[in-house]
Structure formats: structure tokens, C-alpha cells
Amino acid sequence: MTNLTNTLGPIPYAIILPGASPDDIRRMVAHNLKPQMITRKEAIETLVNEGKFDCYMTATLHYDFESAPLTTNYDMLQSAGVLIVSPKDIVETCGSFTFHLNHLIHSLAALNVFLTRTNHLTDEQLYAKLWEGPLKDEVRFLPPSEGVAEYIDLLATAGPMWDNAPSVSDRDATLPKHTFDQQD
């Protein structure tokens, strides 16, 4: 994959295309969501300044879990400028599910959304499952921050028939991890 920052300099584009490096995705998502991060910070500061909460941490928890707008991971990716292709469009263009899945996985990680227990699914199955479910599930709009992460456990969402599912890949070993989860 080409590192777009090295070839083009700083990337002014609003859309993050498949093929961008994970570092470019993280950098562009943070840049594209900067207005939402400012809005969140100002809302938390207002809660503290109005005396509704006596400390910033309590106000942050209240805002993040009670007041932040509801959205979906798909809509957050769209707001961040990430282009996510529907499974149907990948099939119609004879595209690679692996290529688009890697883009989606790294784009979610840039939002601090991490996948776990995916080895029982092929790339095509995982992409379709994310498209049909977790990407469309309602979540709070929380711009990426060091202290907040969402985990999507694909085996837990699969149901009891998958409890003893054989592995069809070794993808979990290479999935992005939150800094909390990384070992020295």
C-alpha cells in the first residue's frame, strides 16, 4: 500500500479512500472529527462551569454516556470522511473483500472501535456481518480519545451455534488493538 502522506504531502481530502495507510487513516480521522472533538470539550466544560458537576472527569462521564448525540459507527465513519463500500458494490466490481475489510478495520480502529474474536468468519462474511449489524447499531458519538474504546465481539454476536466454530483465519492476531491492550 502506498503511504499517501509521503507521496502527496499533507492530505487535504475529505474522503479517506481504501488503500490509505493505518497512520494516514488515524491522522485524517482525527483531523476530520476535530470540530466534534471541540464541541465535546466545550459541552463538558460548560457542565463543569455551570456547577452541574464538580470535576471534569464526572462531567466527561455524564456527557459521554448520557448527553453525547446518538449515531452509528457507519455515520461516524462517514463524518470522519471514510469511504466504506457496500458488500454488494464489492461483488459487482469484482473487488477484494480483504482489501476493503482491512480499510474498514483500520478506519474503525481510528475511531477507537476494535474487533475481537473474528477468526470463525471469512473476510467476506466478516465484512457483510459488520455492514449488516455493528456498523448500523446505535452508539454515542464520541470522537476518538485515549480513554474511550468500543469493542465489537463478533463471536458473542454470532449466537450459540457458533460457540464451537472452527477458525477459518488467524485474523485476530493481526487486528489493531487499543493502547490499553498492547503489551510491552
Side-chain angles (χ1 to χ4, degrees), residues 47 52-53 56-68:
L47 290 171
K52 294 184 180 176
F53 297 94
Y56 193 84
M57 179 54 85
T58 305
T60 299
L61 291 171
H62 173 79
Y63 179 82
D64 288 351
F65 293 106
E66 302 292 330
S67 302

Side-chain angles (χ1 to χ4, degrees), residues 103-161:
H103 177 67
L104 176 57
I105 287 170
H106 288 286
S107 297
L108 286 168
L111 291 175
N112 280 346
V113 176
F114 300 94
L115 306 179
T116 64
R117 302 195 307 167
T118 68
N119 286 344
H120 64 290
L121 300 168
T122 65
D123 289 350
E124 185 173 351
Q125 290 170 329
L126 177 56
Y127 195 94
K129 187 161 185 64
L130 291 169
W131 181 266
E132 294 163 5
L135 287 182
K136 309 286 173 77
D137 291 344
E138 197 171 68
V139 296
R140 295 282 178 186
F141 192 108
L142 300 177
S145 72
E146 302 238 347
V148 177
E150 175 186 348
Y151 292 87
I152 300 172
D153 182 343
L154 276 295
L155 193 55
T157 63
M161 68 181 225

Side-chain angles (χ1 to χ4, degrees), residues 11-179:
I11 300 173
Y13 306 121
I15 300 294
I16 303 166
L17 299 171
S21 75
D23 286 339
D24 285 335
I25 292 171
R26 272 191 301 282
R27 196 170 21 264
M28 290 183 285
V29 164
H31 173 77
N32 290 344
L33 292 180
K34 192 168 190 160
Q36 288 89 340
M37 292 196 233
I38 292 169
T39 299
R40 175 180 178 261
K41 182 179 179 195
E42 289 172 349
I44 293 166
E45 288 172 353
T46 299
L47 290 171
V48 173
N49 293 338
E50 290 177 350
K52 294 184 180 176
F53 297 94
D54 57 352
C55 75
Y56 193 84
M57 179 54 85
T58 305
T60 299
L61 291 171
H62 173 79
Y63 179 82
D64 288 351
F65 293 106
E66 302 292 330
S67 302
L70 292 171
T71 187
T72 65
N73 285 318
Y74 179 83
D75 289 339
M76 287 196 327
L77 290 169
Q78 293 291 108
S79 294
V82 175
L83 177 65
I84 302 297
V85 180
S86 77
K88 178 183 169 195
D89 290 339
I90 294 172
V91 169
E92 288 177 1
T93 61
C94 299
S96 164
F97 274 94
T98 301
F99 177 78
H100 289 281
L101 178 62
N102 285 333
H103 177 67
L104 176 57
I105 287 170
H106 288 286
S107 297
L108 286 168
L111 291 175
N112 280 346
V113 176
F114 300 94
L115 306 179
T116 64
R117 302 195 307 167
T118 68
N119 286 344
H120 64 290
L121 300 168
T122 65
D123 289 350
E124 185 173 351
Q125 290 170 329
L126 177 56
Y127 195 94
K129 187 161 185 64
L130 291 169
W131 181 266
E132 294 163 5
L135 287 182
K136 309 286 173 77
D137 291 344
E138 197 171 68
V139 296
R140 295 282 178 186
F141 192 108
L142 300 177
S145 72
E146 302 238 347
V148 177
E150 175 186 348
Y151 292 87
I152 300 172
D153 182 343
L154 276 295
L155 193 55
T157 63
M161 68 181 225
W162 289 95
D163 284 346
N164 296 314
S167 293
V168 295
S169 77
D170 190 27
R171 181 186 311 106
D172 291 350
T174 62
L175 289 173
K177 299 196 179 356
H178 192 280
T179 54

